[in-house]
Amino acid sequence: MNRLYAIGEVLIDFIPLQKGCALKDVRSFERAPGGAPANVAAAVAKYGASAHVLTKLGRDAFGDFLLEELHNAGVDTTHVKRTDEANTGLAFVSLKDNGERDFSFYRKPSADLLLSENEIDAALFQTGDILHFGSVDLVDSPMKQAHRKAIRAVKETGGLVSFDPNVRLPLWNDAEDCRRAILEFLPKAHLVKISDEELAFITGIEDEETAILSLFRGDVQAVVYTRGAHGAELYTANGSYTAPGFKVDAQDTTGAGDAFVGGMLFHLLQKEASPSNLTSLLDEHHAEILRFANASGALTTTNKGAISALPDKAAVEALMHFQNT
Ligand code: ADP
């Protein structure tokens, strides 16, 4: 069976129990397993495909917790490394009244950033596998090199590369460093997912369509543009397709984008997507794939957290059945 490999950060989000106050004033937090690559892998595993994470955790209690959570979500943790040299990454979050979030990251460096290229086994990848990554672990570190090696290795086997920039500015020295890293790695991907909040920042272009089309560079064959409650648009070399969002009672949008990507990659694994058939697969099956991904993202907003909020496949299919968007 074709497998997903998600490389990057696996960390704990400490979510505030008090809303509407600054981070310094939050008194208590609830722990939630997170990190975008972990969320995407958990979604793919939950829908029934094989999903691995490539990361490093501290040899500490938080690392033990994350390993257990990934395992419970059905993610294969065989290739997760552990280290004594750094602690597992933590992110403390505060929720302001207007829904905006403040973050304080504990990673100077965190264990995930220490995964080195020597720890990526190029022989791991087989034809039909998909590699997914984001930008959070593209800061200067051994992990950045590990990304380069994994991307090269999966491409050598004819596998597909998927990228979600997932901009987190507080992690960077300045915004320009973040944009530069994203623009360096984006052309290495075949499929790019980008949200409406990131597009102008990454491209520097205000007009939406011009900005999206500017992302077709290097190996990029498809761009999926997510628009929160409004759903998503997919662009390929042959045109664009729109899929409206599902109407749900959104409580917490954490992980919606990851659940969307997970839903999409699950379908692409099932359909044995590769760089040579990606465009034609998306042109042919865009409606089914976008509907599933939108329903996956929508249902994730109806519960708190990311991995803990993921629906199962039956729930996604039920929403698609009962709500004809
Ligand atoms: P990100 O979480 O990466 O910022 P979006 O906010 O665009 O990305 O959300 C990703 C997808 O999740 C959307 O395309 C949509 O399918 C779904 N989604 C997000 N928020 C909502 C919402 N409030 N109601 C319904 N669906 C949502």
Side-chain angles (χ1 to χ4, degrees):
M1 190 165 53
N2 301 339
R3 297 154 306 180
L4 171 80
Y5 286 94
I7 184 169
E9 76 285 5
V10 176
L11 47 77
I12 302 184
D13 284 322
F14 281 89
I15 301 167
L17 292 180
Q18 296 88 32
K19 279 191 185 174
C21 53
L23 190 52
K24 77 173 179 49
D25 297 320
V26 179
R27 295 160 65 103
S28 37
F29 298 87
E30 192 178 335
R31 63 181 188 175
N39 301 339
V40 171
V44 166
K46 199 135 188 203
Y47 298 145
S50 168
H52 295 251
V53 283
L54 301 177
T55 193
K56 192 175 256 193
L57 295 169
R59 212 178 296 282
D60 51 27
F62 290 136
D64 293 345
F65 166 70
L66 285 170
L67 209 55
E68 212 171 279
E69 289 290 311
L70 287 170
H71 182 75
N72 291 343
V75 175
D76 193 317
T77 56
T78 315
H79 306 294
V80 173
K81 311 285 185 204
R82 305 291 298 265
T83 182
D84 292 313
E85 285 171 51
N87 290 118
T88 299
L90 308 178
F92 290 83
V93 187
S94 76
L95 288 172
K96 296 186 197 157
D97 276 331
N98 62 4
E100 274 179 29
R101 295 183 294 175
D102 252 352
F103 293 92
S104 185
F105 290 95
Y106 282 59
R107 52 174 232 162
K108 287 189 181 217
S110 49
D112 51 312
L113 293 173
L114 299 186
L115 188 77
S116 72
E117 62 178 319
N118 297 335
E119 291 171 304
I120 300 289
D121 177 7
L124 217 58
F125 306 105
Q126 293 171 10
T127 312
D129 290 345
I130 297 180
L131 180 76
H132 176 75
F133 72 105
S135 74
V136 164
D137 271 4
L138 297 180
V139 292
D140 281 328
S141 64
M143 183 51 132
K144 187 173 184 180
Q145 278 301 112
H147 275 68
R148 287 198 176 99
K149 179 161 176 196
I151 292 168
R152 233 180 8 251
V154 79
K155 282 185 170 176
E156 271 163 20
T157 65
L160 203 67
V161 178
S162 153
F163 177 49
D164 174 358
N166 211 356
V167 175
R168 289 283 179 275
L169 287 180
L171 290 174
W172 297 83
N173 290 333
D174 61 56
E176 208 33 58
D177 278 358
C178 174
R179 195 194 335 256
R180 204 175 305 120
I182 288 173
L183 292 176
E184 179 194 336
F185 278 79
L186 184 142
K188 302 179 195 293
H190 304 105
L191 172 65
V192 173
K193 178 263 184 201
I194 192 161
S195 80
D196 46 5
E197 289 162 353
E198 300 166 326
L199 185 66
F201 166 74
I202 292 172
T203 60
I205 300 171
E206 285 303 326
D207 177 68
E208 244 177 43
E209 185 154 322
T210 313
I212 292 168
L213 295 178
S214 78
L215 297 174
F216 283 84
R217 49 181 92 176
D219 285 344
V220 177
Q221 290 186 32
V223 175
V224 63
Y225 180 54
T226 61
R227 300 170 54 236
H230 301 293
E233 290 164 22
L234 171 68
Y235 287 73
T236 71
N238 301 317
S240 67
Y241 313 98
T242 303
F246 287 86
K247 289 187 181 45
V248 291
D249 181 14
Q251 300 292 331
D252 172 11
T253 59
T254 309
D258 302 329
F260 180 98
V261 172
M264 200 162 175
L265 295 183
F266 166 70
H267 270 267
L268 292 177
L269 285 167
Q270 300 285 97
K271 295 186 190 325
E272 308 199 334
S274 70
S276 55
N277 67 13
L278 178 66
T279 302
S280 58
L281 269 181
L282 290 174
D283 285 332
E284 190 180 345
H285 300 285
H286 59 89
E288 171 197 359
I289 295 176
L290 289 180
R291 253 173 83 70
F292 189 93
N294 272 332
S296 171
L299 284 172
T300 303
T301 70
T302 61
N303 279 308
K304 266 211 295 199
I307 293 180
S308 49
L310 283 171
D312 59 22
K313 192 159 169 259
V316 175
E317 285 167 351
L319 181 64
M320 290 164 68
H321 182 74
F322 290 112
Q323 209 179 104
N324 241 329
T325 54

